[in-house]
Amino acid sequence: RQLSDEEKNMILGEIKFRQVVQAEIPACFEIEKASYPKDEAATKSALQYRHHFGEKYFRCAVIISEDDNENNHGVEQIVGFICATRCRAFTEKSMTTHDSTGAVLAIHSVVVDERYRGRGIATAMLRNYIDNMCSLVADGVERFVLLAKVHLLPFYLKAGFSVLRVSDIVHGQEPWYHLECQKELPALSWVVDAFTTTPGEGNPAAVVLMDKKRVYDIDNETHTKWCQTIAREFNLSETAFVWKIVDRDCNDVISEEQKNYKLALKQEKQKNQSENKRGESARKNRLNQKTAVAGKTYYGIRYFTSNGTEVDLCGHASLAAAAVLFQRTLLQELIFCARHNELTMTPCKYLNCGRMQIFMKFPKKSLTEVTDEEEKEAVVEMLQKAFPRVKNLSKKEMIFAGIDEDGNDLLVEVEPSIMNAIGYDNISHTAFLNWDGYERGVIICSVSSPMSTQSKNDNEPDVVSRFFGPKVGIDEDPVTGSAHCVIAPYFAKKLGKNTILAEQLSQRGGRILCNVHEDYVILKGSAVITLSGNSLIR
């Protein structure tokens, strides 16, 4: 009779998947011999060869006898196995040889003992096998291939394989179909402390490097949900997702230079369609020369907060992502294509133990002053509720309030005495939700005073600040690079100097050296990589 799903789940609960050891090859051979026609079954020596050269690609499903299951001393019985070898191209010869450098993993046997068939073991075993192979990040395998007869095609299609064609390989009497499954690599991930060289300080951000098969598409809801899930899992103020842009297509961030470049390529291609080979060769040479001149390294970048909110720009996550990429590639410059800006990143100094200093070219942002008296009163009331321990906060102590040009952040300059009094206890972060005049965060800042800095040396900052962003899921951000696109120009004008040393007074703390130019701001920050690994969420 056909087993119910509940019965199958009970059986699968007793199954364990693991690598085959050499002594178990005879048991695997008995299952192979009983499952395939004589002219299709692998010989014992063939299985021994596959295990010897590709042990990690030879896995099995085992069931533990019920008698001693409680004390884990039961005898493990193999009820199915999968074996494979690597090759450069899937040919008949590749069925008998193993190339350890091959990018193709050719699966030879997916077989379950006939006494245990119809219980979902084969499906579970194949899924476990694919997951296990995908977790082998650095092994160089890019795709899985196998041969299957027509009656097994639904099984493999359900497991994620695609039917390419009827195979040219002859193996037994019946025709075989060539199936393939692309390897889905785990996303490489890091945690980086930005705006510090000391682990545990500064502002931590997660960085996820997306491969060419998982490039973020701003219009793809599945991609967005995947990024949101990863960001929530890291649960840091920001997670940056980066991927290399091969054709310089920065999604919705394409400069006029890039648009003109692409248009020129298209027009030149149309113009030369009828040219002879000599003319075509000359055209290619011209384009190659132009490409060399314009040859820069572009990466797409997107930012998600801990609650899954996507933000347009994040300084500390950009710094963290650049630190990872510079450590991996030793580039001299890279350009991040964010949603609305191109951000040029240049390594300043490589330090030891994953530490480095980076220059970041960010947009310079202007402020529009809040002049309406009722709105100013609303801002003061919001701050009074947010900082109940500050007793004398009034419009008099609020020197300036303004919204940045994008409507994202509210900057409020207060007297240094107010800055010193804010502290870290009893802050009502929900109070920042009461005023709808901004989209992202509230910057509280002042000129520095000896009492306001956390500095342990004589290099006193020009400006100190705090950043609160409950609207995007961040109660207080430790160090906010993007906020200094506003802070630096504002205080550069106020203090009459183009170089501003800023310190953010969060409990972790961090410093940013800002150089203000006519149209942009250069932020200099340090970063240290503290964690690295793989994200297995797919």
Side-chain angles (χ1 to χ4, degrees), residues 83-271:
C83 64
T85 52
R86 291 175 62 169
C87 55
R88 295 177 184 273
F90 193 35
T91 63
E92 191 157 6
K93 185 179 179 181
S94 72
M95 301 281 285
T96 58
T97 58
H98 175 76
D99 182 347
S100 61
T101 63
V104 179
L105 187 66
I107 298 175
H108 300 294
S109 297
V110 180
V111 59
V112 172
D113 189 318
E114 60 182 349
R115 295 171 295 176
Y116 291 88
R117 291 174 191 167
R119 307 185 187 194
I121 295 175
T123 300
M125 182 173 66
L126 183 57
R127 286 175 178 168
N128 174 270
Y129 188 87
I130 296 297
D131 287 345
N132 190 270
M133 294 302 105
C134 286
S135 68
L136 301 176
V137 178
D139 70 341
V141 172
E142 296 178 358
R143 63 186 189 275
F144 314 117
V145 298
L146 56 79
L147 298 179
K149 292 182 179 179
V150 66
H151 69 280
L152 287 175
L153 295 184
F155 167 73
Y156 287 112
L157 290 173
K158 189 177 180 180
F161 283 81
S162 300
V163 180
L164 299 187
R165 60 183 177 274
V166 176
S167 176
D168 297 330
I169 297 175
V170 177
H171 190 54
Q173 300 298 316
E174 298 181 42
W176 294 81
Y177 290 84
H178 185 145
L179 282 73
E180 185 172 301
C181 177
Q182 293 291 322
K183 180 175 182 179
E184 188 175 354
L185 294 171
L188 300 179
S189 307
W190 296 261
V191 173
V192 182
D193 286 345
F195 298 115
T196 184
T197 56
T198 304
E201 296 184 4
N203 199 354
V207 179
V208 179
L209 180 59
M210 304 163 77
D211 63 31
K212 59 185 178 182
K213 297 168 188 171
R214 192 194 275 119
V215 173
Y216 179 65
D217 180 357
I218 194 171
D219 297 318
N220 188 313
E221 186 178 352
T222 301
H223 288 189
T224 300
K225 286 183 176 179
W226 181 81
C227 292
Q228 290 172 326
T229 301
I230 297 290
R232 292 189 187 106
E233 189 72 14
F234 274 114
N235 197 31
L236 295 174
S237 61
E238 301 284 351
T239 298
F241 296 84
V242 296
W243 65 96
K244 190 170 185 180
I245 298 172
V246 179
D247 61 358
R248 303 183 65 194
D249 181 3
C250 293
N251 294 330
D252 57 331
V253 188
I254 304 178
S255 66
E256 287 301 316
E257 176 192 2
Q258 289 172 280
K259 290 178 181 177
N260 294 336
Y261 173 75
K262 289 191 171 188
L263 180 61
L265 287 179
K266 183 177 180 180
Q267 291 174 341
E268 192 153 342
K269 181 178 180 180
Q270 293 172 343
K271 177 181 176 182

Side-chain angles (χ1 to χ4, degrees), residues 399-400 413 446-447 463 488-497 500:
I399 299 172
F400 175 87
E413 183 191 1
S446 75
V447 294
V463 181
Y490 173 78
F491 281 98
K493 183 177 180 180
K494 183 182 180 74
L495 301 177
K497 55 194 296 187
I500 299 293

Side-chain angles (χ1 to χ4, degrees), residues 383-384 387-393 417-423:
L383 298 182
Q384 288 171 339
F387 310 126
R389 63 179 291 172
V390 182
K391 302 302 182 184
N392 58 339
L393 207 167
S417 59
I418 300 296
M419 201 74 193
N420 298 340
I422 291 174

Side-chain angles (χ1 to χ4, degrees), residues 12 137 169 247 249 275 311 328 391 411 419 440 444:
L12 290 176
V137 178
I169 297 175
D247 61 358
D249 181 3
E275 286 187 358
V311 296
R328 285 175 58 85
K391 302 302 182 184
L411 180 143
M419 201 74 193
R440 187 182 74 149
I444 310 296

